[in-house]
């Protein structure tokens, strides 16, 4: 269990922090992992978001691979797009939209109102772009820490709560690439956050980079689909803790 360091300036804060730490240690004595504790306290209701927007060909490529990878039921039309529900894990939905995801703030609230559901986390499928143009498969949280503007969506200086799936998804991705034919083509990385949208739900971006050649590669999208299917139990297997 990781060492716990508490720094505070008030007795009230220290008392609350100590109480939280004590409860955490009690749970750890029962051999609960942090990810398992999250799964027990919040029933996962995950939304995967993708777009057919022409500016993000990787998103549609990844969405099509994921739709082909598992069984889905089309359950609703919304904002010109369509929403699918996993046939194997009813707590997972995929929303294929037609607009840029970066600028669509509070898309989580729109989904919850439309579907009368409460989300626990979101996964955005998207392209990764960089000045170097190097191939990469990336995972990252979203937001604009330390920025006075939000030219790529979101809110200046604010970060969206990070998804609890970032670490397990990164491990699964790293393991999958290492054991595949893509190991020589695609480094796996944790990218710094730098864009929107602004949402209230813990979120992450899963990306293919960094040029048109990589964005449209079917093999990269299929590998991502395998990783996501495993993480989200779209095959009915146990969730979480990959790699």
């Amino acid at each position: 269990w990781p060492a716990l360091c508490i720094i505070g300036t008030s007795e009230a804060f220290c008392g609350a922090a100590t109480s939280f730490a004590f409860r955490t240690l009690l749970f750890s004595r029962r051999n609960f992992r942090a990810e398992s504790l999250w799964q027990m306290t919040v029933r996962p209701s995950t939304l995967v978001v993708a777009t057919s927007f022409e500016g993000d060909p990787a998103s549609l490529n990844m969405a099509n691979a994921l739709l082909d990878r598992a069984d889905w039921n089309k359950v609703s039309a919304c904002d010109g797009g369509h929403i699918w529900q996993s046939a194997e894990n009813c707590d997972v939905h995929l929303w294929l939209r037609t607009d840029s995801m970066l600028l669509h703030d509070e898309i989580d609230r729109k989904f919850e109102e439309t579907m009368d559901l409460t989300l626990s986390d979101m996964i955005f499928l998207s392209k990764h772009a960089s000045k170097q143009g190097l191939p990469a498969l990336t995972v990252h949280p979203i937001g604009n820490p330390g920025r006075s503007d939000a030219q790529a969506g979101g809110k200046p200086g604010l970060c969206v709560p990070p998804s609890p799936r970032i670490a397990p998804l990164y491990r699964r991705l790293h393991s999958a690439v290492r054991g595949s034919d893509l190991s020589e083509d695609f480094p796996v990385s944790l990218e710094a956050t730098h864009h929107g949208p602004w949402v209230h739900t813990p979120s992450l971006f899963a990306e293919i980079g960094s040029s048109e050649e990589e964005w449209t590669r079917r093999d990269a999208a299929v590998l991502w689909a395998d990783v996501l299917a495993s993480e989200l139990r779209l095959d009915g297997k146990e969730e979480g803790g990959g790699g």
Side-chain angles (χ1 to χ4, degrees):
W1 191 262
L4 181 65
C5 178
I6 301 173
I7 301 175
T9 58
S10 70
E11 292 183 2
F13 176 84
C14 290
T18 301
S19 176
F20 173 79
F22 180 70
R23 293 197 300 272
T24 301
L25 291 174
L26 284 180
F27 280 120
S28 71
R29 287 175 63 87
R30 298 174 190 171
N31 297 319
F32 285 124
R33 298 169 58 200
E35 292 158 29
S36 298
L37 179 59
W38 168 70
Q39 291 164 10
M40 292 181 63
T41 55
V42 181
R43 177 180 172 89
S45 183
T46 299
L47 176 61
V48 180
V49 184
T51 182
S52 59
F53 175 61
E54 62 181 8
D56 193 348
S59 184
L60 181 59
N61 187 24
M62 296 167 75
N64 284 336
L66 189 58
L67 287 170
D68 291 341
R69 176 62 175 75
D71 293 329
W72 301 84
N73 298 314
K74 188 180 290 187
V75 294
S76 181
C78 183
D79 280 2
H82 296 282
I83 298 173
W84 283 265
Q85 182 180 39
S86 168
E88 184 63 44
N89 183 353
C90 63
D91 294 313
V92 177
H93 291 77
L94 188 155
W95 191 359
L96 181 58
R97 301 178 55 83
T98 58
D99 55 358
S100 172
M101 295 182 294
L102 302 185
L103 304 178
H104 207 296
D105 292 344
E106 304 205 11
I107 189 176
D108 52 342
R109 294 294 186 253
K110 177 67 174 180
F111 176 85
E112 290 176 329
E113 293 170 2
T114 299
M115 300 299 294
D116 193 24
L117 293 170
T118 300
L119 290 172
S120 63
D121 66 295
M122 300 174 69
I123 298 174
F124 292 85
L125 309 182
S126 184
K127 71 177 184 181
H128 168 68
S130 69
K131 293 181 179 179
Q132 293 81 8
L134 299 176
L137 301 179
T138 73
V139 179
H140 71 83
I142 49 180
N144 294 288
R147 297 176 65 97
S148 60
D149 58 46
Q151 295 180 358
K155 296 185 178 182
L158 296 180
C159 290
V160 170
S163 169
R165 296 189 189 275
I166 289 178
L169 195 63
Y170 176 79
R171 291 196 298 267
R172 288 187 189 277
L173 177 62
H174 192 276
S175 178
V177 171
R178 188 175 57 212
S180 75
D181 294 336
L182 299 183
S183 59
E184 298 296 324
D185 297 339
F186 287 95
V188 175
S189 68
L190 287 169
E191 185 191 0
T193 178
H194 56 282
H195 58 65
W198 171 258
V199 293
H200 304 272
T201 304
S203 301
L204 64 84
F205 264 65
E207 300 179 336
I208 298 175
S210 297
S211 69
E212 185 83 27
E213 180 180 352
E214 288 82 33
W215 298 334
T216 56
R217 278 186 59 164
R218 177 68 177 177
D219 53 355
V222 168
L223 183 138
W224 255 124
D226 289 341
V227 169
L228 291 167
S230 179
E231 172 66 21
L232 300 176
R233 295 183 295 119
L234 302 184
D235 293 326
K237 298 179 181 179
E238 185 177 355
E239 177 184 9

